[in-house]
Amino acid sequence: RIKDHVIANLDHYLLEFERNAIASGATVHWAATAGEASEIVVRLCKEVGARRVTRVKSMLGEEIGLPHALDEAGIERVETDLAEHIVQLGGDRPSHIVWPSMHRTREQVSEMFKRLHRAPHQEETIEAMVDSARRELRDKFLTADVSISGANFLLADTGATCTVTNEGNAELTTTPPRVHIVTAGIEKLVPSMGHAIAMLRLLVRSATGADVTQYTTFHCGPKQAGDRDGPEEFHIVLVDNGRSRMLREGMKEMLRCIRCGACMNHCVVFRQLGGHVYGGTYPGPMGAVLTPVFDGLEQSRDLPHACTMNGKCQEVCPVAIPLPTLLRGWRDRSWREGLEPSVVRFGL
């Protein structure tokens, strides 16, 4: 009900959030496309002469191609989430939206750390490998010029953003640099703190099975007089990138998604094939619905057809997204637009 209410009144809450975010000292930017969002972030980094940028795990950042945009701009990008750090060292893409490096074995990670870390671990234990990553990243946290994070929720009544992590890397990333940039999809809005808490309980239970994450942090504007720490500049980039089109074209239920990953954890196709085969930013059932929005149905029509329609994804979804129905909708559209191979059309 919370998500449906916000989606039905999205224009009202977007303007309320912008007004309150500006009042807190933040600067709000609007991006219609993925390319525009990346351009805004890169421009902000260049304006402050950033040489090193630390980044908190964010699937929206992956969606808008931000890692590639920063690399092409010649700005050193440091992924601070442990799993994303592994993905960056391996030159991979995330294979899961909650556990990005689940496609890597412990032995592969050990070999990678020994080859690429300045002070690698000596013992083959998980604790030693974590210490190696900590040594590698700690000075980069403290010497970054700009921090970039996503947002699990945007609070309309205060203009605050919320991040959820289990490592504390988000807090260490966003606090020392003089500039903090948040990129968030416009569907991340909730009306107030009370609504955010209700959604947080759903998110964490469905994502990790816990009651609450180790770190849940609300950022509200830049450093104020009397504050002991925090960024001097706080920028929020609100990204559409197909979300308004989803609202217009009968896919508003997908805008309820809180990116918990429950659907892919129970998907028989994802479990057998892994996340990389989906070819887009988002794997699993949610990816099979979203990728045609971002990349076009002609390039990704095989994703809706790969589903077995067993309904497990809808059964475990905490916000009751009718994923099989949305996937059938893509199949129907693929047929109507003549995208099916001629032999399939003839046979049917």
Side-chain angles (χ1 to χ4, degrees):
R1 288 199 301 269
I2 293 170
K3 294 294 289 184
D4 285 347
H5 171 74
V6 170
I7 293 166
N9 300 278
L10 195 57
D11 51 351
H12 166 78
Y13 284 112
L14 281 170
L15 292 174
E16 182 183 359
F17 174 81
E18 180 188 39
R19 182 172 62 251
N20 290 323
I22 292 173
S24 73
T27 303
V28 178
H29 309 263
W30 298 84
T33 64
E36 188 178 343
S38 289
E39 288 172 8
I40 292 171
V41 175
V42 171
R43 173 174 55 79
L44 292 172
C45 292
K46 288 183 175 180
E47 284 177 356
V48 298
R51 290 174 295 178
R52 173 177 288 169
V53 168
T54 46
R55 202 173 82 94
V56 184
K57 174 181 173 292
S58 165
M59 292 309 299
L60 183 85
E62 301 289 338
E63 176 189 319
I64 64 176
L66 188 54
H68 302 293
L70 291 169
D71 294 344
E72 290 175 2
I75 301 171
E76 181 188 356
R77 169 179 57 93
V78 180
E79 299 291 345
T80 63
D81 177 84
L82 180 56
E84 288 282 0
H85 174 63
I86 294 169
V87 168
Q88 184 178 19
L89 291 181
D92 298 328
R93 291 184 298 107
S95 59
H96 192 285
I97 66 171
V98 179
W99 299 286
S101 62
M102 67 182 302
H103 58 286
R104 290 285 187 177
T105 66
R106 185 171 121 186
E107 291 74 19
Q108 289 174 328
V109 173
S110 176
E111 186 277 329
M112 199 183 307
F113 282 9
K114 286 181 177 178
R115 180 165 43 88
L116 299 172
H117 280 181
R118 292 167 295 178
H121 56 286
Q122 302 299 318
E123 300 177 11
E124 291 299 324
T125 64
I126 293 174
E127 292 79 8
M129 284 190 278
V130 171
D131 285 341
S132 176
R134 183 180 290 115
R135 288 191 297 270
E136 184 72 14
L137 292 172
R138 184 53 57 99
D139 66 316
K140 297 180 181 180
F141 280 118
L142 302 176
T143 57
D145 303 299
V146 174
S147 65
I148 303 174
S149 74
N152 293 92
F153 300 104
L154 304 170
L155 280 62
D157 65 339
T158 60
T161 67
C162 173
T163 58
V164 176
T165 67
N166 277 308
E167 299 172 15
N169 62 298
E171 290 69 27
L172 194 52
T173 296
T174 59
T175 303
R178 63 182 186 274
V179 179
H180 178 192
I181 303 172
V182 177
T183 59
I186 56 176
E187 84 285 6
K188 293 291 187 179
L189 282 162
V190 291
S192 68
M193 175 67 80
H195 299 96
I197 296 301
M199 300 306 298
L200 282 166
R201 291 176 68 84
L202 281 185
L203 170 63
V204 179
R205 287 179 178 179
S206 294
T208 67
D211 288 328
V212 68
T213 58
Q214 304 291 342
Y215 298 90
T216 301
T217 304
F218 296 87
H219 301 274
C220 194
K223 183 178 181 179
Q224 305 291 331
D227 289 348
R228 299 184 65 180
D229 53 34
E232 298 171 9
E233 296 181 29
F234 190 71
H235 297 268
I236 303 171
V237 183
L238 296 173
V239 183
D240 187 327
N241 196 33
R243 288 158 175 80
S244 295
R245 191 169 73 252
M246 292 167 64
L247 193 58
R248 293 193 304 269
E249 297 181 358
M251 299 182 66
K252 65 181 182 180
E253 294 95 345
M254 197 62 213
L255 294 175
R256 295 178 194 158
C257 182
I258 57 176
R259 306 295 194 263
C260 67
C263 60
M264 62 190 67
N265 295 340
H266 292 78
C267 174
V268 294
V269 178
F270 178 87
R271 288 209 308 267
Q272 292 297 321
L273 301 179
H276 286 156
V277 298
Y278 287 83
T281 301
Y282 302 103
M286 60 173 292
V289 174
L290 288 171
T291 301
V293 175
F294 301 137
D295 298 344
L297 182 58
E298 188 172 357
Q299 282 73 37
S300 51
R301 57 160 293 279
D302 56 322
L303 295 180
H305 287 78
C307 178
T308 67
M309 295 293 172
N310 64 26
K312 288 291 185 182
C313 52
Q314 180 175 342
E315 184 179 325
V316 300
C317 178
V319 286
I321 300 173
L323 289 160
T325 301
L326 295 175
L327 290 168
R328 288 190 190 97
W330 278 127
R331 290 183 179 184
D332 180 60
R333 182 169 170 177
S334 178
W335 177 267
R336 286 186 283 108
E337 294 184 2
L339 300 179
E340 306 300 324
S342 56
V343 64
V344 173
R345 298 184 70 85
F346 177 81
L348 290 173

